[in-house]
Amino acid sequence: MIKIGADSITKRFGEHLLFRNLAFSAESGESFYITGANGSGKSTLLQILAGIQRPYSGHVTWEKNNVTIIPDDYLKYSGFTGPQVNPYEMLTALENIEFVSGPDVDLHNVNELLERFGIYKERNRQVKFFSSGMKQRLRIINAIINDPPVIFLDEPGSNLDVEGKAILYSFIENLKPGKIIFIATNEPDEIKLCSRGIVLDDRYL
Amino acid sequence: MTGIYKNLRKDFLVEFRNRSAVNISFAFAVITTMSISLVAGGTSFEPHIHAILIWMIIFFSGMNGLAHTFIREEDEKNALFLRLAYSPEDIFISKLLFNIIFFTGIISVICPLYLFFLQARPLIPQLFIATAFSGGLAIASITTILGAMVSKAGGKGSLFTVLSFPLILPVMWVSITNTALSIEGAESANYRNVLFLIAFSGIIACISYLLFRYIWVE
């Protein structure tokens, strides 16, 4: 059981205040959305929760079975994907997945996910030849291949066609039990996947 | 170890398929050496002139390619993907190893080419080889950490060369001096300077290893 808490999180970039005094928590089995206007800080908040960025003030805590996890270890328990997370274009899809796979992942798991997300036939093709939708599918596979207990998805449905979104949403529904899923999005269908969430608006400025 | 190996393998695969840094560095090395050979037209140079020319070619060939390993990660927006997958320590060691291997390859091309085309014959070849590779090791160690800093600063080319100059200067001074002595076959030639270069590399690598996390992670 993992619990993630955000306490009085404030983020500013120089003089520009992004948000102030955010406080919430989530635990295993919950899915949490982060939504708001463009530029409201959805991606930044997601990265703060994942330990990729530091807040200006406040703190994030992760606990596993009531034992605190240090920030340097957050990424060991999580998978993250977003528009800024780009696989290597000179590597094939399979090589990219193998690059991020841990020792517990075998080829069967990989092929299963490739099939599930509809890019199995392209697995030996260099990513530079992929469409934006195919790259997005690969990004999602990279985030979940190690079966992490916490998953951060930044605009997961972007660039996906109708079929791709259907596959993604169905996959997220199956992932929910036992995992914490954070989704930063403005898509109503993705917000509906979550049990609760936060809207970054003027209340946090 | 797995992380270091996987990163190293990835860098070699990407570089082999992309070939931008490799092509630029090797092309620069070959073209410069050939140009000097043509301009020299059979003129015999003093040992210290040979040493200066060799190390100028090595230095600028390296500058073209050594910072590329980190700058490419930022330019092609792979830095976050890499950061999510591996610890800063694994990333640093793999990049350092890549630069050492890459630069050793460049030196292995430049030195024989230069010696052949300019008819230079080191009278103490073992010292020449040891100086070439230990000097290359030192330059690779320096440029790895500076490449990381420059990539995060969003700077390119000229910033990297300017930042590296104060650290590279002692390495170049010692390498040029020792290379001249090896070509000349001077009695004062010894391996102490080679030890200095190796020790310098070790110190830079250790300090860089400790500091890299603060450069790589926000």
Side-chain angles (χ1 to χ4, degrees), chain A residues 105-132:
Chain A
V105 175
D106 63 31
L107 194 57
H108 176 70
N109 302 132
V110 173
N111 287 336
E112 207 178 290
L113 278 173
L114 286 165
E115 288 259 24
R116 185 90 182 257
F117 281 88
I119 56 172
Y120 179 77
K121 287 182 186 167
E122 314 296 336
R123 66 195 184 284
N124 291 317
R125 215 163 155 221
Q126 284 180 323
V127 173
K128 67 178 182 179
F129 298 116
F130 275 27
S131 67
S132 53

PDB file of all heavy atoms in Angstrom, chain A residues 105-132:
ATOM      1  N   VAL A 105      11.218  -7.950 -16.310  1.00  0.00           N
ATOM      2  CA  VAL A 105      10.421  -7.904 -17.538  1.00  0.00           C
ATOM      3  C   VAL A 105      10.978  -8.905 -18.534  1.00  0.00           C
ATOM      4  O   VAL A 105      12.184  -8.942 -18.782  1.00  0.00           O
ATOM      5  CB  VAL A 105      10.461  -6.487 -18.145  1.00  0.00           C
ATOM      6  CG1 VAL A 105       9.734  -6.451 -19.472  1.00  0.00           C
ATOM      7  CG2 VAL A 105       9.867  -5.479 -17.179  1.00  0.00           C
ATOM      8  N   ASP A 106      10.113  -9.729 -19.096  1.00  0.00           N
ATOM      9  CA  ASP A 106      10.612 -10.609 -20.153  1.00  0.00           C
ATOM     10  C   ASP A 106       9.948 -10.258 -21.483  1.00  0.00           C
ATOM     11  O   ASP A 106       9.034  -9.439 -21.547  1.00  0.00           O
ATOM     12  CB  ASP A 106      10.432 -12.088 -19.786  1.00  0.00           C
ATOM     13  CG  ASP A 106       8.967 -12.478 -19.628  1.00  0.00           C
ATOM     14  OD1 ASP A 106       8.106 -11.890 -20.312  1.00  0.00           O
ATOM     15  OD2 ASP A 106       8.683 -13.379 -18.821  1.00  0.00           O
ATOM     16  N   LEU A 107      10.426 -10.885 -22.519  1.00  0.00           N
ATOM     17  CA  LEU A 107       9.985 -10.547 -23.871  1.00  0.00           C
ATOM     18  C   LEU A 107       8.491 -10.779 -24.050  1.00  0.00           C
ATOM     19  O   LEU A 107       7.820 -10.069 -24.807  1.00  0.00           O
ATOM     20  CB  LEU A 107      10.795 -11.379 -24.880  1.00  0.00           C
ATOM     21  CG  LEU A 107      10.720 -10.934 -26.340  1.00  0.00           C
ATOM     22  CD1 LEU A 107      11.160  -9.481 -26.492  1.00  0.00           C
ATOM     23  CD2 LEU A 107      11.607 -11.833 -27.205  1.00  0.00           C
ATOM     24  N   HIS A 108       7.970 -11.751 -23.307  1.00  0.00           N
ATOM     25  CA  HIS A 108       6.541 -12.053 -23.407  1.00  0.00           C
ATOM     26  C   HIS A 108       5.712 -10.846 -22.959  1.00  0.00           C
ATOM     27  O   HIS A 108       4.739 -10.466 -23.616  1.00  0.00           O
ATOM     28  CB  HIS A 108       6.223 -13.293 -22.553  1.00  0.00           C
ATOM     29  CG  HIS A 108       4.762 -13.615 -22.523  1.00  0.00           C
ATOM     30  ND1 HIS A 108       4.085 -14.103 -23.611  1.00  0.00           N
ATOM     31  CD2 HIS A 108       3.849 -13.475 -21.542  1.00  0.00           C
ATOM     32  CE1 HIS A 108       2.807 -14.265 -23.294  1.00  0.00           C
ATOM     33  NE2 HIS A 108       2.630 -13.898 -22.043  1.00  0.00           N
ATOM     34  N   ASN A 109       6.134 -10.226 -21.798  1.00  0.00           N
ATOM     35  CA  ASN A 109       5.430  -9.033 -21.306  1.00  0.00           C
ATOM     36  C   ASN A 109       5.472  -7.929 -22.354  1.00  0.00           C
ATOM     37  O   ASN A 109       4.474  -7.238 -22.612  1.00  0.00           O
ATOM     38  CB  ASN A 109       6.104  -8.464 -20.034  1.00  0.00           C
ATOM     39  CG  ASN A 109       6.176  -9.455 -18.919  1.00  0.00           C
ATOM     40  OD1 ASN A 109       7.235  -9.634 -18.315  1.00  0.00           O
ATOM     41  ND2 ASN A 109       5.085 -10.097 -18.611  1.00  0.00           N
ATOM     42  N   VAL A 110       6.659  -7.775 -22.940  1.00  0.00           N
ATOM     43  CA  VAL A 110       6.867  -6.684 -23.892  1.00  0.00           C
ATOM     44  C   VAL A 110       5.971  -6.878 -25.108  1.00  0.00           C
ATOM     45  O   VAL A 110       5.253  -5.963 -25.534  1.00  0.00           O
ATOM     46  CB  VAL A 110       8.355  -6.614 -24.314  1.00  0.00           C
ATOM     47  CG1 VAL A 110       8.554  -5.602 -25.421  1.00  0.00           C
ATOM     48  CG2 VAL A 110       9.238  -6.267 -23.127  1.00  0.00           C
ATOM     49  N   ASN A 111       6.007  -8.091 -25.646  1.00  0.00           N
ATOM     50  CA  ASN A 111       5.207  -8.363 -26.846  1.00  0.00           C
ATOM     51  C   ASN A 111       3.721  -8.212 -26.578  1.00  0.00           C
ATOM     52  O   ASN A 111       2.957  -7.741 -27.430  1.00  0.00           O
ATOM     53  CB  ASN A 111       5.517  -9.767 -27.373  1.00  0.00           C
ATOM     54  CG  ASN A 111       6.887  -9.837 -28.035  1.00  0.00           C
ATOM     55  OD1 ASN A 111       7.416  -8.826 -28.498  1.00  0.00           O
ATOM     56  ND2 ASN A 111       7.474 -11.023 -28.070  1.00  0.00           N
ATOM     57  N   GLU A 112       3.337  -8.592 -25.366  1.00  0.00           N
ATOM     58  CA  GLU A 112       1.921  -8.483 -24.993  1.00  0.00           C
ATOM     59  C   GLU A 112       1.465  -7.030 -25.034  1.00  0.00           C
ATOM     60  O   GLU A 112       0.388  -6.700 -25.552  1.00  0.00           O
ATOM     61  CB  GLU A 112       1.774  -9.032 -23.572  1.00  0.00           C
ATOM     62  CG  GLU A 112       0.416  -9.596 -23.240  1.00  0.00           C
ATOM     63  CD  GLU A 112       0.413 -10.164 -21.821  1.00  0.00           C
ATOM     64  OE1 GLU A 112       1.073 -11.202 -21.598  1.00  0.00           O
ATOM     65  OE2 GLU A 112      -0.230  -9.546 -20.953  1.00  0.00           O
ATOM     66  N   LEU A 113       2.297  -6.174 -24.460  1.00  0.00           N
ATOM     67  CA  LEU A 113       1.944  -4.749 -24.438  1.00  0.00           C
ATOM     68  C   LEU A 113       1.980  -4.142 -25.843  1.00  0.00           C
ATOM     69  O   LEU A 113       1.133  -3.322 -26.195  1.00  0.00           O
ATOM     70  CB  LEU A 113       2.885  -3.969 -23.515  1.00  0.00           C
ATOM     71  CG  LEU A 113       2.536  -4.034 -22.026  1.00  0.00           C
ATOM     72  CD1 LEU A 113       3.627  -3.373 -21.198  1.00  0.00           C
ATOM     73  CD2 LEU A 113       1.197  -3.362 -21.734  1.00  0.00           C
ATOM     74  N   LEU A 114       2.962  -4.551 -26.620  1.00  0.00           N
ATOM     75  CA  LEU A 114       3.053  -4.043 -27.996  1.00  0.00           C
ATOM     76  C   LEU A 114       1.809  -4.421 -28.783  1.00  0.00           C
ATOM     77  O   LEU A 114       1.255  -3.623 -29.537  1.00  0.00           O
ATOM     78  CB  LEU A 114       4.310  -4.596 -28.680  1.00  0.00           C
ATOM     79  CG  LEU A 114       5.643  -3.994 -28.249  1.00  0.00           C
ATOM     80  CD1 LEU A 114       6.815  -4.859 -28.720  1.00  0.00           C
ATOM     81  CD2 LEU A 114       5.801  -2.579 -28.762  1.00  0.00           C
ATOM     82  N   GLU A 115       1.355  -5.665 -28.575  1.00  0.00           N
ATOM     83  CA  GLU A 115       0.135  -6.133 -29.257  1.00  0.00           C
ATOM     84  C   GLU A 115      -1.068  -5.352 -28.758  1.00  0.00           C
ATOM     85  O   GLU A 115      -1.910  -4.908 -29.545  1.00  0.00           O
ATOM     86  CB  GLU A 115      -0.099  -7.617 -28.914  1.00  0.00           C
ATOM     87  CG  GLU A 115       0.857  -8.574 -29.560  1.00  0.00           C
ATOM     88  CD  GLU A 115       0.265  -9.270 -30.785  1.00  0.00           C
ATOM     89  OE1 GLU A 115      -0.674  -8.718 -31.393  1.00  0.00           O
ATOM     90  OE2 GLU A 115       0.760 -10.343 -31.136  1.00  0.00           O
ATOM     91  N   ARG A 116      -1.134  -5.202 -27.450  1.00  0.00           N
ATOM     92  CA  ARG A 116      -2.285  -4.538 -26.818  1.00  0.00           C
ATOM     93  C   ARG A 116      -2.452  -3.110 -27.344  1.00  0.00           C
ATOM     94  O   ARG A 116      -3.552  -2.633 -27.576  1.00  0.00           O
ATOM     95  CB  ARG A 116      -2.053  -4.511 -25.306  1.00  0.00           C
ATOM     96  CG  ARG A 116      -3.204  -3.973 -24.489  1.00  0.00           C
ATOM     97  CD  ARG A 116      -4.156  -5.062 -24.090  1.00  0.00           C
ATOM     98  NE  ARG A 116      -5.275  -4.508 -23.341  1.00  0.00           N
ATOM     99  CZ  ARG A 116      -5.405  -4.595 -22.031  1.00  0.00           C
ATOM    100  NH1 ARG A 116      -4.486  -5.213 -21.312  1.00  0.00           N
ATOM    101  NH2 ARG A 116      -6.454  -4.067 -21.443  1.00  0.00           N
ATOM    102  N   PHE A 117      -1.289  -2.421 -27.531  1.00  0.00           N
ATOM    103  CA  PHE A 117      -1.340  -1.040 -27.983  1.00  0.00           C
ATOM    104  C   PHE A 117      -1.182  -0.893 -29.494  1.00  0.00           C
ATOM    105  O   PHE A 117      -1.029   0.204 -30.011  1.00  0.00           O
ATOM    106  CB  PHE A 117      -0.289  -0.189 -27.238  1.00  0.00           C
ATOM    107  CG  PHE A 117      -0.707   0.198 -25.862  1.00  0.00           C
ATOM    108  CD1 PHE A 117      -0.440  -0.633 -24.781  1.00  0.00           C
ATOM    109  CD2 PHE A 117      -1.396   1.376 -25.640  1.00  0.00           C
ATOM    110  CE1 PHE A 117      -0.857  -0.285 -23.503  1.00  0.00           C
ATOM    111  CE2 PHE A 117      -1.812   1.735 -24.365  1.00  0.00           C
ATOM    112  CZ  PHE A 117      -1.549   0.902 -23.296  1.00  0.00           C
ATOM    113  N   GLY A 118      -1.195  -2.026 -30.170  1.00  0.00           N
ATOM    114  CA  GLY A 118      -1.285  -1.983 -31.626  1.00  0.00           C
ATOM    115  C   GLY A 118      -0.031  -1.576 -32.367  1.00  0.00           C
ATOM    116  O   GLY A 118      -0.097  -1.113 -33.512  1.00  0.00           O
ATOM    117  N   ILE A 119       1.140  -1.731 -31.760  1.00  0.00           N
ATOM    118  CA  ILE A 119       2.372  -1.386 -32.483  1.00  0.00           C
ATOM    119  C   ILE A 119       3.342  -2.564 -32.534  1.00  0.00           C
ATOM    120  O   ILE A 119       4.546  -2.406 -32.738  1.00  0.00           O
ATOM    121  CB  ILE A 119       3.072  -0.135 -31.896  1.00  0.00           C
ATOM    122  CG1 ILE A 119       3.379  -0.286 -30.394  1.00  0.00           C
ATOM    123  CG2 ILE A 119       2.242   1.112 -32.151  1.00  0.00           C
ATOM    124  CD1 ILE A 119       4.241   0.855 -29.840  1.00  0.00           C
ATOM    125  N   TYR A 120       2.803  -3.763 -32.387  1.00  0.00           N
ATOM    126  CA  TYR A 120       3.668  -4.960 -32.415  1.00  0.00           C
ATOM    127  C   TYR A 120       4.391  -5.085 -33.757  1.00  0.00           C
ATOM    128  O   TYR A 120       5.572  -5.389 -33.806  1.00  0.00           O
ATOM    129  CB  TYR A 120       2.831  -6.207 -32.126  1.00  0.00           C
ATOM    130  CG  TYR A 120       3.639  -7.479 -32.164  1.00  0.00           C
ATOM    131  CD1 TYR A 120       4.467  -7.829 -31.102  1.00  0.00           C
ATOM    132  CD2 TYR A 120       3.591  -8.325 -33.275  1.00  0.00           C
ATOM    133  CE1 TYR A 120       5.225  -8.989 -31.142  1.00  0.00           C
ATOM    134  CE2 TYR A 120       4.348  -9.483 -33.321  1.00  0.00           C
ATOM    135  CZ  TYR A 120       5.150  -9.815 -32.254  1.00  0.00           C
ATOM    136  OH  TYR A 120       5.909 -10.952 -32.297  1.00  0.00           O
ATOM    137  N   LYS A 121       3.667  -4.832 -34.848  1.00  0.00           N
ATOM    138  CA  LYS A 121       4.271  -5.005 -36.182  1.00  0.00           C
ATOM    139  C   LYS A 121       5.381  -3.984 -36.424  1.00  0.00           C
ATOM    140  O   LYS A 121       6.223  -4.182 -37.299  1.00  0.00           O
ATOM    141  CB  LYS A 121       3.199  -4.852 -37.261  1.00  0.00           C
ATOM    142  CG  LYS A 121       2.247  -6.013 -37.357  1.00  0.00           C
ATOM    143  CD  LYS A 121       1.246  -5.826 -38.487  1.00  0.00           C
ATOM    144  CE  LYS A 121       0.214  -6.929 -38.453  1.00  0.00           C
ATOM    145  NZ  LYS A 121      -0.942  -6.648 -39.324  1.00  0.00           N
ATOM    146  N   GLU A 122       5.354  -2.876 -35.686  1.00  0.00           N
ATOM    147  CA  GLU A 122       6.348  -1.816 -35.900  1.00  0.00           C
ATOM    148  C   GLU A 122       7.494  -1.898 -34.888  1.00  0.00           C
ATOM    149  O   GLU A 122       8.287  -0.966 -34.783  1.00  0.00           O
ATOM    150  CB  GLU A 122       5.668  -0.444 -35.747  1.00  0.00           C
ATOM    151  CG  GLU A 122       4.348  -0.297 -36.462  1.00  0.00           C
ATOM    152  CD  GLU A 122       4.493  -0.406 -37.955  1.00  0.00           C
ATOM    153  OE1 GLU A 122       5.594  -0.148 -38.462  1.00  0.00           O
ATOM    154  OE2 GLU A 122       3.500  -0.741 -38.617  1.00  0.00           O
ATOM    155  N   ARG A 123       7.539  -2.999 -34.140  1.00  0.00           N
ATOM    156  CA  ARG A 123       8.461  -3.040 -33.000  1.00  0.00           C
ATOM    157  C   ARG A 123       9.938  -2.927 -33.410  1.00  0.00           C
ATOM    158  O   ARG A 123      10.761  -2.468 -32.636  1.00  0.00           O
ATOM    159  CB  ARG A 123       8.256  -4.326 -32.181  1.00  0.00           C
ATOM    160  CG  ARG A 123       8.625  -5.603 -32.899  1.00  0.00           C
ATOM    161  CD  ARG A 123       8.061  -6.810 -32.162  1.00  0.00           C
ATOM    162  NE  ARG A 123       8.484  -8.067 -32.771  1.00  0.00           N
ATOM    163  CZ  ARG A 123       8.006  -8.574 -33.891  1.00  0.00           C
ATOM    164  NH1 ARG A 123       7.061  -7.932 -34.562  1.00  0.00           N
ATOM    165  NH2 ARG A 123       8.450  -9.725 -34.362  1.00  0.00           N
ATOM    166  N   ASN A 124      10.271  -3.361 -34.636  1.00  0.00           N
ATOM    167  CA  ASN A 124      11.663  -3.306 -35.065  1.00  0.00           C
ATOM    168  C   ASN A 124      11.952  -2.125 -35.986  1.00  0.00           C
ATOM    169  O   ASN A 124      12.972  -2.095 -36.671  1.00  0.00           O
ATOM    170  CB  ASN A 124      12.042  -4.614 -35.767  1.00  0.00           C
ATOM    171  CG  ASN A 124      12.084  -5.772 -34.788  1.00  0.00           C
ATOM    172  OD1 ASN A 124      12.613  -5.636 -33.677  1.00  0.00           O
ATOM    173  ND2 ASN A 124      11.523  -6.900 -35.174  1.00  0.00           N
ATOM    174  N   ARG A 125      11.064  -1.177 -35.956  1.00  0.00           N
ATOM    175  CA  ARG A 125      11.229   0.026 -36.775  1.00  0.00           C
ATOM    176  C   ARG A 125      11.757   1.156 -35.892  1.00  0.00           C
ATOM    177  O   ARG A 125      11.345   1.321 -34.750  1.00  0.00           O
ATOM    178  CB  ARG A 125       9.852   0.422 -37.295  1.00  0.00           C
ATOM    179  CG  ARG A 125       9.858   1.010 -38.671  1.00  0.00           C
ATOM    180  CD  ARG A 125       8.454   0.983 -39.234  1.00  0.00           C
ATOM    181  NE  ARG A 125       8.352   2.030 -40.221  1.00  0.00           N
ATOM    182  CZ  ARG A 125       7.319   2.829 -40.396  1.00  0.00           C
ATOM    183  NH1 ARG A 125       6.278   2.711 -39.629  1.00  0.00           N
ATOM    184  NH2 ARG A 125       7.314   3.743 -41.326  1.00  0.00           N
ATOM    185  N   GLN A 126      12.644   1.967 -36.435  1.00  0.00           N
ATOM    186  CA  GLN A 126      13.171   3.084 -35.657  1.00  0.00           C
ATOM    187  C   GLN A 126      12.050   4.091 -35.360  1.00  0.00           C
ATOM    188  O   GLN A 126      11.202   4.360 -36.212  1.00  0.00           O
ATOM    189  CB  GLN A 126      14.298   3.787 -36.411  1.00  0.00           C
ATOM    190  CG  GLN A 126      15.603   3.012 -36.387  1.00  0.00           C
ATOM    191  CD  GLN A 126      16.714   3.718 -37.150  1.00  0.00           C
ATOM    192  OE1 GLN A 126      16.481   4.338 -38.188  1.00  0.00           O
ATOM    193  NE2 GLN A 126      17.911   3.637 -36.631  1.00  0.00           N
ATOM    194  N   VAL A 127      12.102   4.638 -34.175  1.00  0.00           N
ATOM    195  CA  VAL A 127      11.034   5.538 -33.726  1.00  0.00           C
ATOM    196  C   VAL A 127      10.942   6.799 -34.586  1.00  0.00           C
ATOM    197  O   VAL A 127       9.883   7.415 -34.673  1.00  0.00           O
ATOM    198  CB  VAL A 127      11.245   5.896 -32.234  1.00  0.00           C
ATOM    199  CG1 VAL A 127      10.270   6.945 -31.753  1.00  0.00           C
ATOM    200  CG2 VAL A 127      11.122   4.637 -31.382  1.00  0.00           C
ATOM    201  N   LYS A 128      12.033   7.154 -35.250  1.00  0.00           N
ATOM    202  CA  LYS A 128      11.977   8.360 -36.094  1.00  0.00           C
ATOM    203  C   LYS A 128      10.972   8.209 -37.229  1.00  0.00           C
ATOM    204  O   LYS A 128      10.532   9.196 -37.820  1.00  0.00           O
ATOM    205  CB  LYS A 128      13.361   8.710 -36.635  1.00  0.00           C
ATOM    206  CG  LYS A 128      13.947   7.732 -37.622  1.00  0.00           C
ATOM    207  CD  LYS A 128      15.301   8.250 -38.105  1.00  0.00           C
ATOM    208  CE  LYS A 128      15.898   7.312 -39.133  1.00  0.00           C
ATOM    209  NZ  LYS A 128      17.191   7.801 -39.645  1.00  0.00           N
ATOM    210  N   PHE A 129      10.609   6.952 -37.541  1.00  0.00           N
ATOM    211  CA  PHE A 129       9.624   6.721 -38.593  1.00  0.00           C
ATOM    212  C   PHE A 129       8.204   6.587 -38.047  1.00  0.00           C
ATOM    213  O   PHE A 129       7.268   6.337 -38.797  1.00  0.00           O
ATOM    214  CB  PHE A 129       9.985   5.457 -39.386  1.00  0.00           C
ATOM    215  CG  PHE A 129      11.311   5.550 -40.083  1.00  0.00           C
ATOM    216  CD1 PHE A 129      12.357   4.702 -39.745  1.00  0.00           C
ATOM    217  CD2 PHE A 129      11.533   6.489 -41.075  1.00  0.00           C
ATOM    218  CE1 PHE A 129      13.599   4.787 -40.381  1.00  0.00           C
ATOM    219  CE2 PHE A 129      12.759   6.586 -41.725  1.00  0.00           C
ATOM    220  CZ  PHE A 129      13.792   5.734 -41.375  1.00  0.00           C
ATOM    221  N   PHE A 130       8.050   6.722 -36.743  1.00  0.00           N
ATOM    222  CA  PHE A 130       6.729   6.595 -36.122  1.00  0.00           C
ATOM    223  C   PHE A 130       5.930   7.872 -36.269  1.00  0.00           C
ATOM    224  O   PHE A 130       6.474   8.978 -36.258  1.00  0.00           O
ATOM    225  CB  PHE A 130       6.888   6.303 -34.618  1.00  0.00           C
ATOM    226  CG  PHE A 130       7.088   4.857 -34.275  1.00  0.00           C
ATOM    227  CD1 PHE A 130       7.657   3.973 -35.155  1.00  0.00           C
ATOM    228  CD2 PHE A 130       6.693   4.391 -33.026  1.00  0.00           C
ATOM    229  CE1 PHE A 130       7.843   2.642 -34.829  1.00  0.00           C
ATOM    230  CE2 PHE A 130       6.867   3.057 -32.678  1.00  0.00           C
ATOM    231  CZ  PHE A 130       7.437   2.185 -33.581  1.00  0.00           C
ATOM    232  N   SER A 131       4.607   7.696 -36.347  1.00  0.00           N
ATOM    233  CA  SER A 131       3.726   8.862 -36.295  1.00  0.00           C
ATOM    234  C   SER A 131       3.654   9.334 -34.837  1.00  0.00           C
ATOM    235  O   SER A 131       4.097   8.626 -33.920  1.00  0.00           O
ATOM    236  CB  SER A 131       2.323   8.480 -36.769  1.00  0.00           C
ATOM    237  OG  SER A 131       1.737   7.587 -35.826  1.00  0.00           O
ATOM    238  N   SER A 132       3.043  10.506 -34.632  1.00  0.00           N
ATOM    239  CA  SER A 132       2.955  11.031 -33.256  1.00  0.00           C
ATOM    240  C   SER A 132       2.079  10.128 -32.390  1.00  0.00           C
ATOM    241  O   SER A 132       2.340   9.930 -31.212  1.00  0.00           O
ATOM    242  CB  SER A 132       2.406  12.462 -33.263  1.00  0.00           C
ATOM    243  OG  SER A 132       1.197  12.525 -33.972  1.00  0.00           O
TER     244      SER A 132
END
